[in-house]
């Protein structure tokens, strides 16, 4: 009884425009271009406003996939979720995570990695960072779960959301129709959009009950332990990728997660490793376990209190290096110390994604008991 | 039989000029100003050329100590070793380590933390970064060991050296006397001075045999696993602080070290913790063990290969953030994950201090079996 | 008939703690330590939150003046206005402007540079960034004018104000008394304090009429063309230095100003030069005119529109370099092109100081017709 | 008698991937895609090692031109010179300069802007930064002059060169063949390649006589006053664009140049403006003259002495902002003050391009006497 099988390959990039390692996967038959449903990339820009490595990588990926599929680059970008996260501070290593859907011989009764995607309708500017965005995101998460055949919220371990932001033009358009927007500060709108999206995930997964609009970007006690959201100027809708486990899927990949309560919460990282079937007790994964580790996805954000366990951090006060850059370097170091690898998908901007100063960490690993690995 | 007893207090600073927490130690009777022999400080500058937080902190410390001792600030600075290391990237927390020598009831037969200091004569510019500096440093290390009553090199676990650098004036002065200098690049002279000093430590501790001059700043296979050296414009001699253990000293403090082979070598950190009597097996020190941890001192430097365990890091290619800033954030994260604290003395510029991309890590802890704690 | 005579010396600093050029002035008899009433300094920090070069320079100046006067450093800092402005981007050269009051043989009928200082009472936290701060500043400007013997607002050409900011502690103290503050964002409070202070200057000089509280930090059409305000954590009052011209003062120094309408307004700079008696028509001051130029003081701030004369600038979008750093480099280049010197006092944070994207520029010069120059 | 006519359009970009303003030129008939021979772009990256805005813009331009011409992107990039210069610090505004060759009614007897391009053969790694690269560049400049019909070196006013650099792979390849390279430091190879290329221009234009290899990157008294060279990893040959004047060309565009002796040499900028027929005497171009100004191209580099006219600059000592970023902001301010515009092509890395701390400045303007302007 054949079943869907999630494919995931982690490959390095030499620069943000370098997609050659993905093409090598195609050539080696590891995955077929048509099977690709999403590419997450950790690029070496600053991860902030003027980080053009994200758009550059998306352009390079669209071109390359279009060339392999005989399809226009724009059409590829509209169909395949291409989510780039800028910032590889400290030891983080630039890489792509290529997700695909193939076929396996038989479903994995214990549950295997399952992938589902969904999109909200386009948002009006006045909906961004507010309840309508949150509610539409929750609906999209449910749709993506259904697409993946995941019935239980508990089986969802990571939800990546790409969401829009407000620009001066969009604000002006709303105003012309007599509508106000959540903020007139375009940079701030990124945080509100990320926050509303994360709360939408939390709502769909039952992590929060009803959320008043005033809580968005304000009440940090409300959060999702499984959402990772990022805002981009190039879209008007939310794009949702749900990763979880399902007994209807085949293959030897599995996923688990934990929530870091602060930036140096090594025990949470180790709990996620254990939950994914890796040894998470000792100090650092050994070579064999490291080999089975396919991806780590985490959020990083400096504690708003200016403190980590009572000691002052200087991330918010450094006018030379953006606070999120400090936070990625730090959390990258903490996770690398646990896993012994540095190609980790650690991204910043964690509004309502984990508690203040902490964040979700998800681990995707290959089961120790082997399993077929054909595309 | 009273014996010398090493005193060590770790206190936070709110900014580089804030010495109030040290004054609070004086007021509480934890240490007397006259007992202070050295202050190490981790300040929140960039740790690079234009980091004025180091000089600012030294000025503030000299003023404050002078006020308490009725002594001119310059005289304090000439007598007490004031070694500031800039850079608290990622989660690192600005703090002072105040070292003093007091008296204990009886020596600790198992060995207690012992401190010794020594100075080389002033160097001529043409000696900096060359064999004379290396050899004089080795002699000073031996003198500091003698001062501390440490006979065996194996009992030395950390040697802090503050060393001079070349300036345009100093180079011109050498030239006027018909002498050439090791480099005419003043920035490069910092690395050569740190490197020659570290090799001097290695020589004194038997970590290397005879070193040819050409190896300084070139042959990275030669290094000390216990040296931490930093260059400053304000001195012409090398100032040496040796930390080790001795059965002739009293008190419940002890010290141990290990060498990180790369930046994410958590097992080495845990080995150092265990060697200092702390539990270093599980993931992170628990609250009780963390309480006994007094200081962690480590060096950080990006691997010159551009790789960490075969994966590309971007530290050398980032023209917005200096490579050493990335490295401190990373190593700070790795050590914080092991100890659960962020006030760690992680400094950069690790020429000949540990292997390429790695570095020494020393741990000072209070013994689990208690011990008297009077100044 | 002897008269007060304003003294002004511009000297370089080699680093923020280097006051040796001021001591050389004392030694040469150019000015006596007791005559010093204010020191303005342009230090080479980032001019932003974690710029410790300002406090370092203030500490070094206090120490040095105290040593020369046999006075405690704190007492010097309370009496002499020490105003440091961080940021020497582009070609700007770190320097001090040492202001003093001496005696001249006879008043200058055409008017000579006159200096007056005054202080407001300490502000309660809830007054900062609001009408009370604005009104008290206006009163202090009037008091400083009276002290300087300047009757007409038109004779005032530059008003330097050092003002406080809100800290977490101050906000909490206000709250404990049941009061709200202008903002809970401590960084934002710096801008509000600078803005309220600048509007206070505008009020005193008749540049604006009554200002509603809501205009502070919001209505940029209201501004002073002669105010330069900077916020610091170390004080609770506003300190005001008024520079103008008065026929009651002696000496060959004079001052004039103009308002740059945008960052590249060379004609405004040249108008200020001409108004101060320098040739401002050609391209750049020649050597003789440059010799007579004593100081240029200007404010720089990126246009909030993101445009300079319709063309996009990237200052607000650069997450690697703070916008004010870009602006100082730019305005420094524009003024240097007019005067052929780079030791210019260009400072950032220009809320209500000149129009959006522009700012005041004041020129202090020695008259072409000579004049005595004894302290 | 029809003649070749140089076309030049300056258009803004909203981000490095935004080529819409060039497409608008095509749509408006201002220039036909097939007429385009070169695009110079000033992009908003850091202009240093990890500036990916250059490659992103080249990819976007290749894609866009390929789409309009029905040609593969790679083929466009091989034929049309696409030279991006990163860094729009201070007030500089990101923009493209689109060069084309059209046809005019009759040659301009007084001389009109003429464009010629040429390429060297690919270089072996061991030739880069050495005499062979210099000599081949000189030959290419002569070939480009011939292509443009420019007989006299004096009629050449600007030569843009894009040149290769050494990578680890290229160095290894040379070594495998038993050859050494000019430097093993890949970053340093950029400067040597730029320098050798600039000296090649100087040689072709008679600005220097025979140059010994040891002078490359060392003897700064040798330089071209008309070269602008930039190194990129994506090519192995030198690509040369010569801009000059020729009586055989039609149109109302002309070009002139001057050499700034230091970074604040406003008189040199004004001399270049005057030489191009613009009023360069007063302070700043008026609106009418500004309209006739089409492009300003200049090089910026901090003086290696650390001084500007005897006053210290901090560009080399700032470990937070790369020295070339400071220099571009400064020179951009100086030129903007002369011309009243901020879309200026100011680029860094000026080895052997103008004197130490200064650099060439070229001005392209429309003649005051009008002239036809059809593509």
């Amino acid at each position: 009884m054949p079943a869907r099988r999630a494919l995931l390959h982690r490959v390095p990039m030499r620069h943000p425009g370098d997609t050659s390692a993905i093409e090598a996967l195609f050539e080696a038959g590891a995955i077929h271009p048509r099977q690709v449903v999403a590419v997450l990339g950790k690029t070496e820009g600053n991860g902030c406003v003027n980080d053009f490595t994200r758009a550059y990588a998306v352009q390079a990926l669209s071109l390359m996939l279009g060339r392999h599929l005989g399809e226009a680059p724009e059409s590829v970008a509209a169909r395949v979720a291409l989510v780039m996260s800028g910032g590889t501070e400290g030891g983080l290593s630039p890489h792509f995570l290529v997700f695909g859907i193939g076929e396996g011989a038989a479903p994995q009764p214990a549950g295997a990695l399952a992938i589902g995607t969904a999109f909200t309708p386009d948002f009006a500017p006045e909906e961004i960072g507010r309840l309508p965005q949150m509610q539409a995101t929750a609906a999209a998460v449910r749709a993506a779960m259904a697409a993946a055949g995941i019935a239980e919220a508990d089986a969802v371990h990571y939800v990546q959301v790409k969401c829009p932001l407000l620009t001066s033009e969009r604000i002006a358009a709303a105003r012309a129709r007599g509508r106000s927007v959540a903020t007139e500060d375009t940079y701030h709108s990124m945080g509100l959009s990320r926050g509303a999206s994360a709360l939408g995930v939390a709502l769909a997964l039952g992590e929060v009950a009803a959320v008043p609009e005033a809580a968005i970007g304000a009440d940090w006690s409300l959060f999702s332990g499984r959402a990772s959201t990022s805002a981009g100027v190039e879209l008007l809708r939310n794009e949702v990728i749900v990763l979880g486990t399902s007994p209807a899927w085949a293959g030897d990949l599995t996923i688990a997660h934990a929530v870091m309560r602060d930036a140096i919460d090594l025990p949470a990282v180790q709990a996620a490793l254990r939950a994914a079937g890796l040894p998470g007790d000792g100090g650092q994964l050994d070579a064999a376990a490291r080999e089975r580790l396919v991806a780590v996805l985490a959020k990083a954000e400096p504690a708003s209190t200016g403190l980590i366990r009572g000691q002052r951090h200087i991330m918010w006060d450094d006018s030379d290096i953006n606070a999120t850059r400090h936070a990625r370097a730090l959390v990258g170091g903490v996770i690398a110390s646990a896993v012994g690898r540095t190609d980790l998908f650690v991204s910043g901007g964690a509004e309502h994604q984990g508690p203040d100063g902490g964040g979700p960490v998800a681990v995707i690993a290959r089961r120790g008991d082997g399993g077929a690995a054909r595309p």
Side-chain angles (χ1 to χ4, degrees), chain A:
Chain A
M1 189 184 76
R4 282 187 290 177
R5 179 165 165 275
L7 308 173
L8 172 54
H9 294 277
R10 184 190 67 236
V11 294
M13 70 179 97
R14 285 174 302 184
H15 58 77
D18 172 36
T19 60
S20 61
I22 301 180
E23 293 195 85
L25 288 177
F26 296 160
E27 201 161 317
I31 188 170
H32 188 280
R34 206 162 301 279
Q35 292 175 317
V36 175
V37 295
V39 181
L40 269 62
K42 196 92 235 2
T43 62
E44 59 202 282
N46 63 23
C48 304
V49 177
N50 63 330
D51 182 351
F52 300 106
T53 63
R54 296 174 297 214
Y56 178 27
V58 165
Q59 183 176 270
L61 285 166
S62 306
L63 259 172
M64 182 275 288
L65 287 169
R67 200 166 53 235
H68 280 270
L69 293 168
E71 190 179 347
E74 306 76 41
S75 154
V76 172
R79 189 172 49 78
V80 180
L82 303 173
V83 182
M84 302 299 117
S85 163
T88 55
E89 295 82 4
L92 293 172
S93 189
H95 66 287
F96 288 116
L97 295 173
V98 184
F99 290 89
I101 301 183
E103 193 170 292
Q108 170 64 259
L113 178 65
I115 304 176
T117 59
F119 307 99
T120 68
D122 282 359
F123 294 114
E126 61 267 30
E127 296 175 325
I128 293 174
R130 287 179 170 160
L131 289 185
Q133 186 183 21
M134 185 178 80
Q135 285 152 349
T137 304
V141 171
R142 287 184 206 108
M145 286 172 64
I150 303 177
E152 300 295 320
D154 283 0
V156 173
H157 292 283
Y158 185 79
V159 182
Q160 179 73 47
V161 181
K162 198 172 166 185
C163 55
L165 50 86
L166 291 172
T167 62
S168 307
E169 291 80 8
R170 292 172 189 175
I171 295 170
R175 206 183 285 136
R177 284 182 291 103
R179 303 304 174 100
S180 77
V181 289
T183 175
E184 307 231 329
D185 176 339
T186 58
Y187 183 69
H188 186 216
S189 78
M190 297 176 74
L192 290 180
S193 180
R194 283 192 299 257
S197 300
L199 287 172
V201 175
L203 210 58
L205 301 184
E207 298 176 296
V208 299
V211 175
E213 191 159 279
I216 301 173
D219 181 353
W220 305 119
S221 72
L222 302 177
F223 61 82
S224 169
R226 289 169 270 175
S228 173
T229 68
S230 71
V233 75
E234 68 278 19
L235 75 177
L236 279 169
R237 62 182 181 181
N238 273 19
E239 302 183 0
V240 172
I241 309 171
V242 165
L243 301 179
T245 55
S246 164
W249 287 60
D252 62 345
L253 291 173
T254 190
I255 184 169
H257 83 281
V259 177
M260 295 173 74
R261 70 189 164 93
D262 61 22
I264 61 171
D265 190 0
L266 179 72
V269 179
Q270 294 183 316
L273 292 171
R274 280 193 305 271
L278 293 166
D281 299 309
Q284 189 173 87
L285 295 187
D286 61 20
R290 202 178 296 159
E291 194 58 33
R292 285 169 43 213
L293 178 71
V294 185
V296 183
L297 306 111
K299 285 299 261 193
E301 187 87 338
S304 68
T305 56
L307 300 173
I308 298 176
R309 302 193 187 176
Q311 296 173 292
R312 183 166 71 97
H313 68 73
I314 56 82
M315 299 190 248
W316 292 118
D317 291 337
D318 188 344
S319 303
D320 297 313
I321 300 180
N322 193 289
T324 58
R325 307 200 72 179
H326 280 289
R328 276 188 297 266
L330 168 58
V331 173
V334 171
I335 299 179
S337 78
V339 303
R341 300 193 58 102
T342 55
D343 43 2
L344 311 165
F345 193 84
V346 177
S347 68
E351 296 87 355
H352 299 298
Q353 298 149 71
D356 185 20
V361 54
V363 170
I364 304 179
R366 218 166 282 284
R367 285 171 195 287
D369 49 22
R374 281 178 308 276

